[in-house]
Amino acid sequence: MRKVLSRAVQRIVRQEMPPEAIFQTLSAVIVIRTVIEKLLSSGHTLLYDPVNHYGGLVGDLHMYFSWVVIFLSMSLPVALFLKVPYRDALKLTLVGFCITLCVPLIDYAVTWGKGDEIRYFRNFDSFFYNYVNIFNPFAAMQGVTFGVRVEVLTLFFGSFLFAWQGLGRGLVRSFLLALTLYSLVYFFGYILPIHKLIGLDLMAMGAESTTAIDGAQSLFFAYLAPFLICLAGIALVLWHQDRGAARVIGALLYPSRLLFYLWLLGFGFLFTAQQAGTLPRIFNRPDLFKWFCAACSILLLFIYAKLINDLHDQAIDRISNRQRPLVAGAIGEAQAQGLATVFLTLSAVLAIPVERDFFYCWLFIWGLSYLYSTPPFRLRRFWPVSHLTLTFVGGGVFMAGACIAKPNDFYAIWKAKEALVYLLAAFFLLSHIKDLKDIEGDRAAGVFNPFGAVNPRGLTLIVIAAFLTMAFFAAAGLGVSAAATAAGTVVCAAIALFLTLRTPQPAGLDRLFGIAFCFVMVLSGAWLYHFLG
C-alpha cells in the first residue's frame, strides 16, 4: 500500500497545475455537485424560483462560495501538517475534494430514489452527539445524511493514509491532519449557531436592515469571515514558505490607490444614507455586512486590475518599477494572467449578493479598468484620458457604495451633486501623483507624462494646491465645518510643501498619497460628526 499511495502522491504533486487550472477544476466539481444535489435531493427539482430571480441566483452563489471557502480551509492544514509547498497542498486537496460528487448519488441510492436533503444546523443541541457518532453506523442522526457520513469517513481515513503511507509522515501527525480536516468540515455545518454564539443571528437580523436583506444573502454573508481568515492563513503560509510569494502579495496590496477606493466606497455609502435620511440607522449589522462584502469584492477587483496593468506595463516597469512582481521575475506572465482570472471571478461572486445595483456598478468599474490597462485601447497611454478613466473608476466605486445604502434610485435623491463634482475633480488631480515614479519609464515607452515635460516639483505643488482647492469646495458643499476644513487644508499644504522640497527624487513623492488620505479622512470625520453630533 505504501508504494501505491506514494506513487499516487508523487504523480499528483508532479502534475502541472497553474492556479487558474486548480480554480477552474474546483469550480467544475462544485457546479456538477450542485446540479446533481438539486436534482436528486428530496423533491427532485432544480429549485428554480420564477418570481425571485435575484434571490435564486444569490442562493446558488452561496452554495458555490461555501464550497470554495471549505476547500481553502482544508488546504491550509494539508500544507501545515504535511509540510508541502502550498501549491502542492492545493493539488492534494483538490483530488480529495472530488469525493463530494458522490454524496448526492449515495443519498439517492440508499433512499431508493427518494433522495435526502442536506441542511444547516440551527442550534448546538446535536453538536457533540453528532461529532462523536458520525462514524458509528448504528447511531441514528438527524440532519446528517448517509452520503455525508460516507464523505466524512472517506475524508478522515483517506487523508490519514495519504499522509502516513503516501508521504511517510508520522502516525500522530497524520492522525492530527485527519482530525483537523474532519473538524473543519463538521464545524461548517454549524456555521449559523457559531455566528449566533458571538451575537450574530444571521437568519433573524433582516428586520434591522434599512435596505432589505433576504435569507439567501444572510447565508452567503455567513462565509465572509471564514473566507478572510482563509486568505490571511494562506498569506501567512506563503510568507513562511516563500518570502518571494509574500512580497508579491504585498506588491498587489500596495495601499496608495486602494485606500482611496475603499474610502470612496465607504463615503458613498454614508453620504447616500444621509441624503436618504437613514443615517445613523444604516449602522446596523445586515447593512454593514453588505458593505463589508462589497469592500472584499472591490479589493479583489483592485488586485485583478493591478495584475492586468502590470502585464502590459512591463516595458515601463523595467525602468521605473523594477520591484514589481512580473519584471522582478517573482511570477510569470501566464501565472499573472491566471491569477487575474481567479481574482476577477471571486470578485464577481462577492459582488452579486451585495445588491443587484452594486453588480451593475461593479461591471462599470471592471470595464473601465480593462480599457485602461489592456490593448487595443490601453487608455493608460493617453493623457488626460488616462486620468479621466481613473476618475470614472473612482466615481464608479462611489456609486457602488451609494447603491448599497439606497438601491435603484440613489442618484435621484442626491441633493449636493455639485459637491460630488468637486470631489471627482479632486480625485482626478490626485491621480496624477502616481505618474511621478514613472517619469523615466514613460519617456522610454513613448507615453506622455506631464511630470516629464516640466519641472516635476513645480507641477507637483500645482497639482496639490489644485487638489486641496477642489477638496475645500467639496467639503464646503457637503456641510463640513469651515474651520475644520481650513485647518486641515493648511496642515496638509504645509506637509506637502515640506515633502516636495525635501524629497531627493520625484519618485519618492508618491508618499503624498498618504498625506492626502489622512486629509480626506479628517474631512470625512468632520462631516460625519456634523450629522451625528
Side-chain angles (χ1 to χ4, degrees):
M1 178 183 289
R2 179 183 292 271
K3 289 184 178 180
V4 173
L5 291 177
S6 179
R7 289 196 196 100
V9 169
Q10 292 304 318
R11 187 171 183 178
I12 293 169
V13 170
R14 286 198 299 266
Q15 182 72 31
E16 181 62 31
M17 291 189 197
E20 72 275 15
I22 295 174
F23 182 75
Q24 289 165 1
T25 304
L26 171 66
S27 298
V29 171
I30 294 172
V31 170
I32 294 169
R33 152 69 191 253
T34 302
V35 173
I36 295 175
E37 181 181 345
K38 283 188 171 189
L39 193 61
L40 298 186
S41 62
S42 58
H44 305 308
T45 67
L46 291 178
L47 305 179
Y48 172 72
D49 189 340
V51 178
N52 185 9
H53 301 282
Y54 176 71
L57 177 59
V58 173
D60 290 339
L61 286 174
H62 147 253
M63 287 187 281
Y64 174 82
F65 187 56
S66 66
W67 282 119
V68 170
V69 173
I70 292 171
F71 172 83
L72 293 177
S73 68
M74 291 169 62
S75 68
L76 288 170
V78 170
L80 293 172
F81 282 102
L82 298 183
K83 293 186 176 180
V84 296
Y86 185 68
R87 175 78 68 85
D88 293 342
L90 287 174
K91 299 175 186 178
L92 293 168
T93 306
L94 182 62
V95 173
F97 190 81
C98 293
I99 187 63
T100 191
L101 293 170
C102 301
V103 174
L105 297 172
I106 294 172
D107 287 334
Y108 186 78
V110 299
T111 58
W112 298 96
K114 293 181 180 180
D116 210 335
E117 194 167 4
I118 302 170
R119 289 188 175 275
Y120 289 106
F121 290 98
R122 301 305 174 107
N123 53 60
F124 286 111
D125 293 346
S126 60
F127 183 84
F128 293 106
Y129 174 84
N130 286 349
Y131 187 82
V132 173
N133 288 285
I134 198 166
F135 299 145
N136 182 0
F138 303 104
M141 302 177 67
Q142 295 293 326
V144 181
T145 70
F146 185 80
V148 170
R149 297 175 77 169
V150 172
E151 175 189 37
V152 174
L153 184 69
T154 306
L155 171 67
F156 184 90
F157 287 103
S159 59
F160 172 76
L161 289 173
F162 262 81
W164 184 37
Q165 297 292 320
L167 282 163
R169 301 300 185 257
L171 192 64
V172 174
R173 182 184 293 272
S174 301
F175 174 77
L176 289 175
L177 170 63
L179 183 63
T180 302
L181 291 176
Y182 162 54
S183 300
L184 275 173
V185 173
Y186 186 82
F187 287 161
F188 277 111
Y190 287 86
I191 195 168
L192 294 180
I194 288 174
H195 277 80
K196 191 182 294 185
L197 193 65
I198 59 175
L200 292 172
D201 190 349
L202 294 173
M203 303 311 295
M205 67 182 187
E208 303 175 25
S209 175
T210 63
T211 61
I213 185 174
D214 61 23
Q217 287 173 298
S218 296
L219 285 176
F220 187 95
F221 296 154
Y223 286 87
L224 281 178
F227 177 64
L228 291 180
I229 292 172
C230 287
L231 293 185
I234 292 169
L236 289 174
V237 169
L238 290 175
W239 177 268
H240 176 73
Q241 292 184 346
D242 182 1
R243 295 299 172 89
R247 284 193 290 271
V248 171
I249 295 172
L252 294 177
L253 292 175
Y254 190 71
S256 56
R257 275 183 289 166
L258 175 60
L259 289 176
F260 281 97
Y261 287 137
L262 293 177
W263 174 80
L264 286 166
L265 183 74
F267 190 68
F269 176 71
L270 295 176
F271 171 76
T272 305
Q274 182 270 323
Q275 298 279 285
T278 57
L279 191 70
R281 289 184 294 115
I282 198 74
F283 293 120
N284 59 76
R285 291 175 296 178
D287 289 332
L288 291 178
F289 261 114
K290 283 187 178 182
W291 186 89
F292 188 62
C293 187
C296 293
S297 176
I298 293 297
L299 171 63
L300 296 178
L301 186 58
F302 174 82
I303 295 174
Y304 157 81
K306 288 272 287 186
L307 283 166
I308 62 169
N309 187 66
D310 286 357
L311 273 169
H312 300 286
D313 253 5
Q314 293 183 69
I316 296 172
D317 291 339
R318 287 190 185 97
I319 298 172
S320 300
N321 300 287
R322 295 188 181 94
Q323 77 283 2
R324 288 284 176 87
L326 273 164
V327 296
I331 57 175
E333 290 188 12
Q335 187 179 16
Q337 186 64 60
L339 287 172
T341 302
V342 172
F343 285 118
L344 179 66
T345 304
L346 287 175
S347 177
V349 169
L350 287 166
I352 295 173
V354 173
E355 196 69 58
R356 183 197 61 186
D357 299 350
F358 177 86
F359 184 61
Y360 292 150
C361 293
W362 182 92
L363 289 171
F364 177 75
I365 299 165
W366 165 78
L368 289 170
S369 301
Y370 184 86
L371 293 178
Y372 176 83
S373 298
T374 59
F377 291 162
R378 196 166 173 254
L379 301 179
R380 182 247 186 275
R381 298 174 295 171
F382 308 110
W383 184 89
V385 176
S386 57
H387 297 76
L388 286 172
T389 305
L390 291 177
T391 303
F392 288 135
V393 169
V397 176
F398 183 89
M399 291 190 299
C403 68
I404 303 172
K406 191 67 170 70
N408 190 40
D409 59 349
F410 60 88
Y411 183 80
I413 67 167
W414 285 347
K415 301 180 183 66
K417 292 185 176 67
E418 69 284 352
L420 301 181
V421 173
Y422 288 127
L423 182 65
L424 291 178
F427 193 84
F428 169 78
L429 291 162
L430 191 63
S431 67
H432 286 74
I433 299 300
K434 73 173 186 60
D435 294 337
L436 282 162
K437 66 181 184 305
D438 291 332
I439 293 175
E440 296 303 323
D442 284 343
R443 182 180 291 120
V447 175
F448 176 75
N449 186 324
F451 291 99
V454 297
N455 184 316
R457 295 182 191 278
L459 183 57
T460 299
L461 291 175
I462 293 173
V463 167
I464 291 298
F467 161 74
L468 292 174
T469 302
M470 293 298 104
F472 183 91
F473 286 139
L478 293 171
V480 179
S481 163
T485 305
T489 302
V490 170
V491 172
C492 184
I495 296 174
L497 178 62
F498 176 80
L499 287 177
T500 302
L501 296 178
R502 295 298 298 269
T503 301
Q505 297 296 327
L509 291 173
D510 65 350
R511 290 180 295 176
L512 292 171
F513 273 123
I515 305 303
F517 182 75
C518 292
F519 174 62
V520 298
M521 287 299 293
V522 169
L523 294 186
S524 303
W527 175 86
L528 193 59
Y529 178 80
H530 173 73
F531 288 104
L532 296 181

